[in-house]
Short mmCIF file of all heavy atoms in Angstrom, two decimals:
data_model
loop_
_atom_site.label_atom_id
_atom_site.label_comp_id
_atom_site.label_asym_id
_atom_site.label_seq_id
_atom_site.Cartn_x
_atom_site.Cartn_y
_atom_site.Cartn_z
N LEU A 246 44.29 -8.23 21.34
CA LEU A 246 43.86 -9.10 20.29
C LEU A 246 43.51 -8.32 19.03
O LEU A 246 43.96 -8.65 17.90
CB LEU A 246 42.70 -9.97 20.73
CG LEU A 246 42.13 -11.01 19.72
CD1 LEU A 246 43.12 -12.10 19.47
CD2 LEU A 246 40.81 -11.61 20.27
N LEU A 247 42.75 -7.29 19.18
CA LEU A 247 42.37 -6.44 18.07
C LEU A 247 43.56 -5.73 17.47
O LEU A 247 43.68 -5.55 16.26
CB LEU A 247 41.28 -5.43 18.52
CG LEU A 247 39.89 -5.98 18.70
CD1 LEU A 247 39.00 -4.98 19.45
CD2 LEU A 247 39.27 -6.37 17.36
N GLU A 248 44.44 -5.24 18.32
CA GLU A 248 45.67 -4.56 17.86
C GLU A 248 46.49 -5.53 16.98
O GLU A 248 47.00 -5.09 15.92
CB GLU A 248 46.48 -4.10 19.05
CG GLU A 248 47.80 -3.46 18.67
CD GLU A 248 48.71 -3.27 19.88
OE1 GLU A 248 48.21 -3.14 20.98
OE2 GLU A 248 49.96 -3.26 19.66
N CYS A 249 46.64 -6.76 17.40
CA CYS A 249 47.40 -7.74 16.57
C CYS A 249 46.71 -7.99 15.28
O CYS A 249 47.39 -8.07 14.23
CB CYS A 249 47.53 -9.04 17.38
SG CYS A 249 48.59 -8.89 18.84
N ALA A 250 45.42 -8.12 15.28
CA ALA A 250 44.67 -8.37 14.05
C ALA A 250 44.81 -7.18 13.08
O ALA A 250 44.99 -7.34 11.89
CB ALA A 250 43.18 -8.63 14.34
N ARG A 251 44.74 -5.95 13.62
CA ARG A 251 44.88 -4.79 12.77
C ARG A 251 46.29 -4.73 12.18
O ARG A 251 46.44 -4.33 10.99
CB ARG A 251 44.57 -3.50 13.58
CG ARG A 251 43.13 -3.38 14.02
CD ARG A 251 42.90 -2.10 14.77
NE ARG A 251 41.53 -2.01 15.31
CZ ARG A 251 41.22 -1.96 16.61
NH1 ARG A 251 42.21 -1.92 17.49
NH2 ARG A 251 39.95 -1.90 17.03
N ALA A 252 47.31 -5.10 12.96
CA ALA A 252 48.66 -5.08 12.43
C ALA A 252 48.83 -6.08 11.31
O ALA A 252 49.48 -5.76 10.30
CB ALA A 252 49.64 -5.39 13.58
N LEU A 253 48.27 -7.26 11.45
CA LEU A 253 48.36 -8.28 10.39
C LEU A 253 47.61 -7.80 9.13
O LEU A 253 48.08 -7.91 8.02
CB LEU A 253 47.79 -9.64 10.89
CG LEU A 253 48.62 -10.35 11.92
CD1 LEU A 253 47.79 -11.52 12.47
CD2 LEU A 253 49.87 -10.87 11.32
N ALA A 254 46.42 -7.24 9.33
CA ALA A 254 45.65 -6.74 8.21
C ALA A 254 46.33 -5.60 7.50
O ALA A 254 46.41 -5.58 6.27
CB ALA A 254 44.28 -6.33 8.64
N ALA A 255 46.88 -4.66 8.27
CA ALA A 255 47.58 -3.50 7.66
C ALA A 255 48.82 -3.93 6.88
O ALA A 255 49.18 -3.28 5.90
CB ALA A 255 47.98 -2.53 8.78
N ALA A 256 49.44 -5.03 7.30
CA ALA A 256 50.61 -5.55 6.64
C ALA A 256 50.25 -6.35 5.40
O ALA A 256 51.16 -6.88 4.70
CB ALA A 256 51.46 -6.39 7.59
N GLY A 257 48.96 -6.53 5.17
CA GLY A 257 48.50 -7.39 4.02
C GLY A 257 48.90 -8.82 4.16
O GLY A 257 49.35 -9.48 3.21
N TRP A 258 48.77 -9.36 5.38
CA TRP A 258 49.19 -10.74 5.67
C TRP A 258 48.41 -11.70 4.74
O TRP A 258 47.22 -11.67 4.67
CB TRP A 258 48.89 -11.05 7.13
CG TRP A 258 49.50 -12.34 7.58
CD1 TRP A 258 48.93 -13.59 7.70
CD2 TRP A 258 50.85 -12.51 8.01
NE1 TRP A 258 49.79 -14.49 8.09
CE2 TRP A 258 51.02 -13.88 8.36
CE3 TRP A 258 51.93 -11.67 8.20
CZ2 TRP A 258 52.18 -14.39 8.78
CZ3 TRP A 258 53.14 -12.18 8.62
CH2 TRP A 258 53.27 -13.51 8.93
N ARG A 259 49.17 -12.62 4.11
CA ARG A 259 48.54 -13.51 3.10
C ARG A 259 48.48 -14.95 3.55
O ARG A 259 47.91 -15.77 2.83
CB ARG A 259 49.35 -13.37 1.77
CG ARG A 259 49.11 -12.08 1.07
CD ARG A 259 47.73 -11.98 0.55
NE ARG A 259 47.42 -10.69 -0.08
CZ ARG A 259 46.85 -9.68 0.52
NH1 ARG A 259 46.51 -9.78 1.80
NH2 ARG A 259 46.61 -8.53 -0.09
N ARG A 260 49.17 -15.28 4.70
CA ARG A 260 49.12 -16.67 5.12
C ARG A 260 47.92 -16.87 6.05
O ARG A 260 47.42 -15.93 6.63
CB ARG A 260 50.44 -17.03 5.82
CG ARG A 260 51.57 -17.08 4.82
CD ARG A 260 52.90 -17.34 5.50
NE ARG A 260 53.95 -17.53 4.53
CZ ARG A 260 55.21 -17.29 4.78
NH1 ARG A 260 55.59 -16.90 6.00
NH2 ARG A 260 56.16 -17.47 3.85
N PRO A 261 47.39 -18.10 6.15
CA PRO A 261 46.19 -18.34 6.91
C PRO A 261 46.30 -17.97 8.38
O PRO A 261 47.33 -18.16 9.01
CB PRO A 261 45.96 -19.85 6.75
CG PRO A 261 46.75 -20.25 5.51
CD PRO A 261 47.92 -19.33 5.45
N VAL A 262 45.21 -17.48 8.91
CA VAL A 262 45.11 -17.14 10.30
C VAL A 262 43.93 -17.85 10.94
O VAL A 262 42.84 -17.77 10.44
CB VAL A 262 44.98 -15.58 10.53
CG1 VAL A 262 44.90 -15.25 12.01
CG2 VAL A 262 46.10 -14.82 9.85
N VAL A 263 44.20 -18.52 12.07
CA VAL A 263 43.13 -19.10 12.90
C VAL A 263 42.92 -18.19 14.09
O VAL A 263 43.86 -17.95 14.88
CB VAL A 263 43.47 -20.49 13.35
CG1 VAL A 263 42.46 -21.04 14.35
CG2 VAL A 263 43.55 -21.47 12.13
N VAL A 264 41.71 -17.67 14.23
CA VAL A 264 41.40 -16.72 15.30
C VAL A 264 40.66 -17.48 16.39
O VAL A 264 39.54 -17.97 16.19
CB VAL A 264 40.51 -15.56 14.80
CG1 VAL A 264 40.27 -14.55 15.93
CG2 VAL A 264 41.21 -14.86 13.61
N ALA A 265 41.34 -17.66 17.56
CA ALA A 265 40.77 -18.42 18.65
C ALA A 265 40.91 -17.69 19.98
O ALA A 265 41.38 -18.18 20.96
CB ALA A 265 41.47 -19.79 18.72
N GLY A 266 40.49 -16.39 19.93
CA GLY A 266 40.57 -15.57 21.13
C GLY A 266 39.19 -15.07 21.57
O GLY A 266 38.20 -15.71 21.23
N ASN A 267 39.22 -13.99 22.30
CA ASN A 267 37.99 -13.41 22.88
C ASN A 267 36.86 -13.39 21.89
O ASN A 267 36.94 -12.77 20.79
CB ASN A 267 38.34 -11.97 23.31
CG ASN A 267 37.22 -11.37 24.13
OD1 ASN A 267 36.07 -11.67 23.97
ND2 ASN A 267 37.62 -10.40 24.96
N ALA A 268 35.79 -14.06 22.21
CA ALA A 268 34.63 -14.19 21.27
C ALA A 268 34.06 -12.84 20.90
O ALA A 268 33.56 -12.67 19.80
CB ALA A 268 33.56 -15.12 21.89
N ASP A 269 34.10 -11.86 21.83
CA ASP A 269 33.53 -10.54 21.54
C ASP A 269 34.23 -9.80 20.42
O ASP A 269 33.66 -8.87 19.85
CB ASP A 269 33.53 -9.71 22.82
CG ASP A 269 32.63 -10.26 23.91
OD1 ASP A 269 31.87 -11.24 23.64
OD2 ASP A 269 32.68 -9.77 25.02
N ALA A 270 35.47 -10.14 20.15
CA ALA A 270 36.22 -9.43 19.13
C ALA A 270 36.24 -10.15 17.78
O ALA A 270 36.76 -9.61 16.81
CB ALA A 270 37.67 -9.23 19.63
N GLN A 271 35.71 -11.33 17.69
CA GLN A 271 35.91 -12.14 16.51
C GLN A 271 35.26 -11.58 15.26
O GLN A 271 35.81 -11.59 14.15
CB GLN A 271 35.51 -13.60 16.73
CG GLN A 271 36.41 -14.28 17.76
CD GLN A 271 36.50 -15.76 17.55
OE1 GLN A 271 35.95 -16.29 16.58
NE2 GLN A 271 37.12 -16.44 18.46
N ALA A 272 34.04 -11.03 15.41
CA ALA A 272 33.32 -10.49 14.25
C ALA A 272 34.13 -9.32 13.64
O ALA A 272 34.29 -9.26 12.40
CB ALA A 272 31.95 -10.01 14.63
N GLU A 273 34.67 -8.45 14.49
CA GLU A 273 35.45 -7.32 13.94
C GLU A 273 36.74 -7.82 13.26
O GLU A 273 37.10 -7.30 12.21
CB GLU A 273 35.79 -6.35 15.08
CG GLU A 273 36.52 -5.14 14.61
CD GLU A 273 36.77 -4.10 15.72
OE1 GLU A 273 36.11 -4.21 16.78
OE2 GLU A 273 37.60 -3.20 15.53
N ILE A 274 37.35 -8.81 13.86
CA ILE A 274 38.58 -9.35 13.26
C ILE A 274 38.28 -10.01 11.91
O ILE A 274 39.02 -9.86 10.94
CB ILE A 274 39.22 -10.34 14.26
CG1 ILE A 274 39.75 -9.61 15.45
CG2 ILE A 274 40.34 -11.12 13.53
CD1 ILE A 274 40.26 -10.52 16.58
N GLY A 275 37.15 -10.68 11.86
CA GLY A 275 36.74 -11.32 10.61
C GLY A 275 36.56 -10.25 9.50
O GLY A 275 36.99 -10.47 8.38
N ASP A 276 35.93 -9.15 9.85
CA ASP A 276 35.78 -8.05 8.88
C ASP A 276 37.13 -7.48 8.39
O ASP A 276 37.33 -7.18 7.24
CB ASP A 276 34.94 -6.94 9.46
CG ASP A 276 33.46 -7.36 9.71
OD1 ASP A 276 33.05 -8.34 9.08
OD2 ASP A 276 32.80 -6.71 10.49
#
């Protein structure tokens, strides 16, 4: 989950993302 989020962030993804995965990772993904 974190790897996918990092890939999207590194690519400068501009379309909306709904994060509905492991609750323990959500704060880091939000950052």
